[in-house]
C-alpha cells in the first residue's frame, strides 16, 4: 500500500505562484513515476506533469515554461512549482502513482488551486 498526501493549494491572483507538495509513504520502494493531475469543474482529469525516481520529467504543453516538477527521494516527496498562474489553471490537483509489482493505482485526496482576481 502506498499513501499520497498533497499540500500547498490555495487561492492566488493571476500571475502568482504556488508550490504543491506530494508526500509518499508506505511501500515506496515499489513506486517509480509520480504524476500530478488536475480536474477542473465539468472537465476530465488531465495529466499536468510527471517525474521518475531518476528525475526524468514530462510536462503538459499547457504548463511548459510555467510549471516545474521536482523530486526529493530522501523525503519521498514530489513538488510542483507553479508560476505565472492563469485562471484556467484553477482545478483540484491530485498526485498519483502506480505500484510496479501489483499495478495498483494510488491517488492523493487532492488540493484545490484557485486562480482569480
Amino acid at each position: 500500500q502506498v499513501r499520497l498526501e498533497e499540500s500547498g493549494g490555495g487561492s492566488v491572483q493571476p500571475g502568482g505562484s504556488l508550490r504543491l507538495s506530494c508526500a509518499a509513504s508506505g511501500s515506496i520502494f515499489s513506486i517509480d513515476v509520480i504524476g500530478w493531475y488536475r480536474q477542473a469543474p465539468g472537465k476530465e482529469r488531465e495529466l499536468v506533469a510527471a517525474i521518475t525516481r531518476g528525475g526524468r520529467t514530462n510536462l503538459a504543453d499547457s504548463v511548459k515554461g510555467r510549471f516545474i516538477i521536482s523530486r526529493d527521494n530522501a523525503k519521498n516527496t514530489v513538488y510542483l512549482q507553479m508560476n505565472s498562474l492563469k485562471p484556467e489553471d484553477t482545478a483540484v490537483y491530485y498526485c498519483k502513482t502506480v505500484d510496479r509489482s501489483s499495478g495498483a493505482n494510488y491517488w492523493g485526496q487532492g488540493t484545490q488551486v484557485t486562480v482569480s482576481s
Side-chain angles (χ1 to χ4, degrees):
Q1 291 264 345
V2 176
R3 183 167 180 253
L4 300 174
E5 185 170 0
E6 302 100 335
S7 61
S11 295
V12 65
Q13 292 186 342
S17 299
L18 284 173
R19 188 176 83 153
L20 305 182
S21 299
C22 173
S25 59
S27 302
I28 56 175
F29 57 87
S30 64
I31 64 174
D32 181 6
V33 179
I34 295 180
W36 282 101
Y37 290 73
R38 66 186 180 187
Q39 187 165 21
K43 294 189 177 181
E44 294 191 355
R45 195 170 296 190
E46 63 176 356
L47 176 66
V48 176
I51 187 167
T52 68
R53 183 177 292 274
R56 284 188 301 156
T57 63
N58 179 40
L59 284 91
D61 288 342
S62 60
V63 304
K64 282 181 180 176
R66 299 188 298 124
F67 290 12
I68 301 169
I69 187 169
S70 62
R71 182 167 181 162
D72 185 336
N73 288 326
K75 295 181 179 180
N76 302 315
T77 301
V78 171
Y79 305 97
L80 185 67
Q81 177 67 43
M82 306 186 294
N83 302 318
S84 302
L85 283 161
K86 305 175 180 179
E88 50 264 45
D89 295 318
T90 295
V92 178
Y93 284 71
Y94 301 89
C95 58
K96 176 212 170 185
T97 192
V98 180
D99 185 317
R100 291 181 292 179
S101 59
S102 69
N105 291 324
Y106 293 97
W107 292 89
Q109 81 287 354
T111 185
Q112 176 71 45
V113 171
T114 302
V115 184
S116 174
S117 55

